Amino acid sequence: MVLSLVFLLLRSNKKIKYPPGPRPLPILGNLHQLPRRDTWRTLKSWHDRFGPIITVWMGSRPMVILGSFECAKDLLEKRPFIYSSRPSYLTDGIGSDALVVGLPYGNRWRKHRFLLNTLLSRTRCEDYIKSQDLECKQLLWELLWTNDFAYQFHRFAASLSFSLAYGQRMERGDESEVQEVDRLMRQMSDKVFLPGVAFPLLNYLPQWLAPWKKTAAWLQETQARFFTHQMQKALSQSVKTWSHIVHEVARNRREVSFNELEMAHVVGVTYEAGSDTTAFVLETFVLVAVLQRPAVVRAQIELDKVVGCHRMPALCDLPQLPYLQAFVREVLRWRPVVPGGLHHCTSQDDEYLEYQIPAGTTVIPNHWSLEYDESVFPNPHSFQPERWIDNPKLPTCAFGMGRRACPGRHLAQNSLYLVISRMLWAYDIRCVGRPPDSFAMTQGISSRPRPFAVRFHPRSHRHQSIIETEYRRHSSSRT
């Protein structure tokens, strides 16, 4: 009976003029053609063959994939009232129906987004530079004694986010709070493509026949308990944190009601998201540093000219560092941290380029296809910061597009500019053994380079002395 219903569903969908794509099989759709690794690269090859907007059948579910900035802008930015929602299955994938990233477009999403914008506006992020400076100086000091850069990047990002959210630094990186979020993120990374995504009828199975439902329920309960506990703990202390700010704003917005669980999830998502993505981009920077020496040398020459060897670079130096800014933007493009993009959902029927996109259709901007669009980025596989200097208005999807763009982009950009400029200023980064494969990336929602070994050599005794002096000075003054 189930197979008969799927067959009827496929037959009814054939009447709709979806965008082109690889020929699907009954029931399976295109699942048999999608590799287990680097799916985003396969999608790019299909865009090259079928065009910038294609349909891929995940079992019985059609997914419209966007493979050019032109299409992504036309739909996600120019028609946001249609393309700003999320598919219902995403809440199971992220383990919560209260995290803003999975909320459908509507009043509840606007409430959460208002609070996030209050915490993470460009102006508000200037208040966080002191914390970023402290965490960055500890990071530079620790790289004098260890080459485990992935661990130290994760500590940096987790400590920054947790201290801003809850008032407690993660000075070691192995604290129980960090481990708990790592456990949650590992569960999430594999759960977006649930069986019910490809075969929605499976969602009607009882929980004992659908173990993914049990995992989703565990994620929801665990996240809610963790976020609520950490917020209550932060509110009992005098140090002003995101938890305090959210409560103050919610109390003053009497025309909009916020319950405790919603506020806890607004603060929690900032920590959860910030503890991984920034660290992954910094790992990509190290990959660039060992494989793209000419670009590294040029950035170091610019830093030496502007900053010298008597102090570390600061964010206020950025206007005088155009190549450094271009370098960071190219790191974000060259290996996108969310290569497959996040899932959007249409809230009403639409037509585009003579194709039909019904209400409830999943629409995904494939970031790999966008960032490797030859019409926008000639020779896209080449690492060329100069392209951003020649055309500062080049598009980017590093932080998403449209109304669902990442609200933490200003904080993340400040962290990236600060850490990358200081690491280039402080260290020569050399590969140990064979050069890493630049395409060897991990799988999941977010992607990072697979492990490889490097050594960090201070560029001079003077650079090392400044790193040590600055770390000691901030260590003695922090609370």
Side-chain angles (χ1 to χ4, degrees), residues 278-402:
T278 297
F280 289 1
V281 176
L282 292 174
E283 290 183 44
T284 300
F285 155 70
V286 175
L287 183 67
V288 168
V290 299
L291 296 179
Q292 307 291 337
R293 289 296 302 166
V296 168
V297 170
R298 181 170 172 180
Q300 289 176 328
I301 290 172
E302 182 182 68
L303 283 162
D304 292 344
K305 181 179 178 180
V306 173
V307 178
C309 63
H310 302 291
R311 67 174 177 89
M312 295 180 181
L315 288 177
C316 61
D317 295 313
L318 280 179
Q320 297 175 274
L321 299 169
Y323 189 81
L324 185 279
Q325 292 186 60
F327 186 101
V328 174
R329 295 178 75 182
E330 185 71 346
V331 168
L332 288 165
R333 182 204 68 85
W334 189 65
R335 292 293 181 269
V337 72
V338 186
L342 290 179
H343 297 202
H344 295 239
C345 181
T346 52
S347 54
Q348 65 184 62
D349 294 346
D350 195 24
E351 290 190 7
Y352 181 67
L353 299 179
E354 300 183 354
Y355 302 120
Q356 295 171 294
I357 306 177
T361 300
T362 297
V363 178
I364 309 171
N366 183 39
H367 288 187
W368 189 274
S369 295
L370 270 60
E371 303 287 24
Y372 280 76
D373 184 350
E374 292 87 350
S375 65
V376 179
F377 302 106
N379 195 12
H381 289 280
S382 176
F383 186 84
Q384 296 179 3
E386 297 83 0
R387 68 174 89 241
W388 300 95
I389 296 175
D390 295 339
N391 185 2
K393 295 183 179 181
L394 283 173
T396 180
C397 58
F399 299 100
M401 300 179 69

Side-chain angles (χ1 to χ4, degrees), residues 265-282:
H265 277 81
V266 167
V267 176
V269 75
T270 59
Y271 170 55
E272 204 168 60
S275 64
D276 260 353
T277 52
T278 297
F280 289 1
V281 176
L282 292 174

Side-chain angles (χ1 to χ4, degrees), residues 43-54 65-67 369:
L43 294 176
K44 174 66 170 73
S45 69
W46 289 349
H47 282 300
D48 293 340
R49 179 180 175 188
F50 297 105
I53 179 169
I54 63 175
I65 316 294
L66 309 179
S369 295

Side-chain angles (χ1 to χ4, degrees), residues 412-437:
Q413 286 172 332
N414 284 348
S415 288
L416 295 175
Y417 283 129
L418 191 64
V419 173
I420 291 176
S421 65
R422 288 181 174 179
M423 290 191 66
L424 288 170
W425 170 86
Y427 290 106
D428 282 322
I429 306 172
R430 302 291 183 176
C431 183
V432 176
R434 295 181 58 185
D437 179 357

